[in-house]
Amino acid sequence: MSVYTDFLKDLQEAILGQRLVKLSLGNYKGLDKTLKNVYIKPVLLKQELKLSFVYRYATKDITKNYSLEDAISELEDLTQFKGFRRMHAQLLEADWIMLMNKKGEWRLDQTQVSGRDQADLAHDHKKERRLTNSKQSYLQDLKLTDAEGQVFKNAQDKWKQINHYIELLSGALEGLPQQEQLNVVDMGAGKGYLTFALYDYLQHVLQRNASVIGVEFRKDLVDFCNQVAEKASFSGLHFVEGSIADFKADQGMDVLIALHACDTATDDAIYQGIQQEASLIVVAPCCHKQVRRELEAVKANNDLDFMTKHGIFLERHAEMLTDSIRALIMEYYGYETKVMQFIADQHTPKNVMIVASKRNVQPNKQAEILAKLQSLKSYFGIGYQHLERLCGLDK
């Protein structure tokens, strides 16, 4: 018997003995250049042991479930000379790594391990929360994909960012009230990468009738994005020229998005969302100059002054303090806030996202928040924070 045949026989025994945690296939040398990896794990479907294969392509994942016999047959088809030349089986007690050389010969390396948890056989029904059609014309016009829907190599980071953005917001978007039309405003839309993706997800994945407006100060970008939207037949997506502070939401605002609006422009956006009683406010702040200037001017004598004397720490402190105050103010108006990490592109290192969902205003909590705001300002020597002043809470 060959090394390969012995490996498959031992692998079947490991699966039946519930010792296999995961099997990964790599080093693909086949014809399909979009296929990157295959990940295999045991699952229990209707009380029957199956093998779940996740085929990882450049722009999508495809999952298929096989019986043990069919799984071994599929594995044999995948691990040919013009296929996957690396198999990594993670067992409870060991790692088995099968490698094929240039002559098509297999070699097995084994390493003993301990403390590895047994595989969870529960079938994962998690929804696919990402853009599913990479052939949309807007993705080509934005230079993200080619005519076949393949993501360009230099656009991989942006593609991941867009899908991560949708993943982060998917839960909040799915929880929005059901109504005839969802009115969304994206403040500071830029070239529209995330604006287009949001409209695509709402319209074609969640099947929501959505009106999305992208607000952008630069006329050339507004004209470009409107042309791309028209070409894609996105009739509910429009871009308008103007500033965040001056924008007027004539048809109301259910969702307010403002990603990387600089300094107090983020406050202007949040204020509009609060005024419109938007069901969802999402901001990824950029620059925190207003509060930093306050901190630099006063240089309060407190327990943290040893730290804030360093410029880089002062900058980070200004960021956390500003965004904490913003979250508190949104909570004052009845929003439930979450602060999370947002993957930004390589030119935008700011990666904190605040997601605020509208709940009920609690008067007793409002008094606590006002007291907390005053305490914070007194401790750090801040005269005001811009959103606080916009809302009239600095009096």
Side-chain angles (χ1 to χ4, degrees), residues 248-253 271-279 335:
K248 304 297 181 185
D250 297 330
Q251 56 184 1
M253 189 186 300
Y271 178 67
Q272 290 225 31
I274 291 174
Q275 291 293 102
Q276 293 286 336
E277 296 188 342
S279 297
Y335 286 87

Side-chain angles (χ1 to χ4, degrees), residues 233-292:
S233 298
F234 284 1
S235 59
L237 174 60
H238 303 283
F239 292 81
V240 298
E241 181 184 355
S243 67
I244 292 175
D246 295 335
F247 176 77
K248 304 297 181 185
D250 297 330
Q251 56 184 1
M253 189 186 300
D254 301 306
V255 179
L256 179 281
I257 309 283
L259 305 183
H260 304 136
C262 189
D263 197 22
T264 56
T266 293
D267 298 309
D268 294 332
I270 294 174
Y271 178 67
Q272 290 225 31
I274 291 174
Q275 291 293 102
Q276 293 286 336
E277 296 188 342
S279 297
L280 181 65
I281 297 174
V282 180
V283 295
C286 178
C287 307
H288 300 73
K289 297 177 182 178
Q290 183 256 316
V291 165
R292 177 168 179 167

Side-chain angles (χ1 to χ4, degrees), residues 5-266:
T5 304
D6 286 343
F7 174 81
L8 292 181
K9 179 175 178 294
D10 292 340
L11 181 65
Q12 291 184 67
E13 292 179 357
I15 294 170
L16 291 172
Q18 297 189 16
R19 291 161 41 228
L20 177 69
V21 177
K22 183 171 71 173
L23 175 64
S24 305
L25 308 185
N27 193 18
Y28 181 68
K29 302 296 182 182
L31 298 177
D32 188 345
K33 301 303 181 183
T34 67
L35 182 58
K36 304 301 181 182
N37 299 93
V38 176
Y39 301 105
I40 304 163
K41 67 175 184 178
V43 294
L44 202 60
L45 296 175
K46 298 181 179 179
Q47 304 304 311
E48 183 181 353
L49 181 64
K50 300 273 190 178
L51 275 299
S52 176
F53 282 57
V54 177
Y55 300 80
R56 176 67 46 82
Y57 292 86
T59 61
K60 61 184 178 181
D61 289 351
I62 295 178
T63 301
K64 295 182 180 180
N65 299 312
Y66 299 99
S67 66
L68 178 56
E69 181 180 353
D70 290 340
I72 296 300
S73 177
E74 175 69 6
L75 187 60
E76 289 178 320
D77 290 339
L78 291 170
T79 54
Q80 300 291 327
F81 187 75
K82 291 187 177 181
F84 290 97
R85 299 185 184 180
R86 185 179 189 276
M87 293 186 279
H88 179 193
Q90 298 180 33
L91 279 66
L92 293 179
E93 75 285 0
D95 280 340
W96 295 346
I97 299 179
M98 285 280 284
L99 298 171
M100 180 191 290
N101 62 23
K102 293 181 180 180
K103 296 180 180 180
E105 300 167 339
W106 287 97
R107 184 186 83 246
L108 174 62
D109 293 331
Q110 300 186 56
T111 305
Q112 297 300 308
V113 300
S114 60
R116 181 171 284 164
D117 293 332
Q118 192 170 27
D120 182 2
L121 298 182
H123 186 50
D124 186 4
H125 290 286
K126 186 178 180 181
K127 292 182 180 179
E128 182 78 5
R129 289 170 168 170
R130 51 187 291 170
L131 302 181
T132 56
N133 184 0
S134 62
K135 292 185 179 181
Q136 292 270 23
S137 68
Y138 77 89
L139 294 171
Q140 299 170 39
D141 292 332
L142 294 177
K143 309 301 182 185
L144 294 174
T145 66
D146 61 21
E148 300 301 318
Q150 305 304 316
V151 179
F152 291 121
K153 186 176 181 180
N154 62 356
Q156 292 287 338
D157 288 343
K158 177 61 72 174
W159 179 254
K160 290 177 182 177
Q161 181 198 35
I162 289 171
N163 282 288
H164 185 65
Y165 166 70
I166 295 299
E167 176 69 29
L168 286 176
L169 294 188
S170 58
L173 292 172
E174 290 171 8
L176 289 171
Q178 293 295 325
Q179 55 199 55
E180 185 176 347
Q181 178 175 286
L182 202 59
N183 296 316
V184 181
V185 178
D186 188 352
M187 302 279 197
K191 197 174 179 180
Y193 293 105
L194 301 180
T195 320
F196 278 98
L198 179 63
Y199 180 83
D200 187 6
Y201 183 74
L202 288 170
Q203 200 78 21
H204 301 119
V205 178
L206 295 188
Q207 302 292 311
R208 296 294 301 266
N209 178 28
S211 168
V212 178
I213 297 175
V215 181
E216 173 52 44
F217 188 75
R218 292 162 289 186
K219 184 178 184 303
D220 59 331
L221 291 182
V222 172
D223 293 341
F224 169 76
C225 288
N226 278 326
Q227 291 171 8
V228 174
E230 183 177 0
K231 181 180 176 181
S233 298
F234 284 1
S235 59
L237 174 60
H238 303 283
F239 292 81
V240 298
E241 181 184 355
S243 67
I244 292 175
D246 295 335
F247 176 77
K248 304 297 181 185
D250 297 330
Q251 56 184 1
M253 189 186 300
D254 301 306
V255 179
L256 179 281
I257 309 283
L259 305 183
H260 304 136
C262 189
D263 197 22
T264 56
T266 293

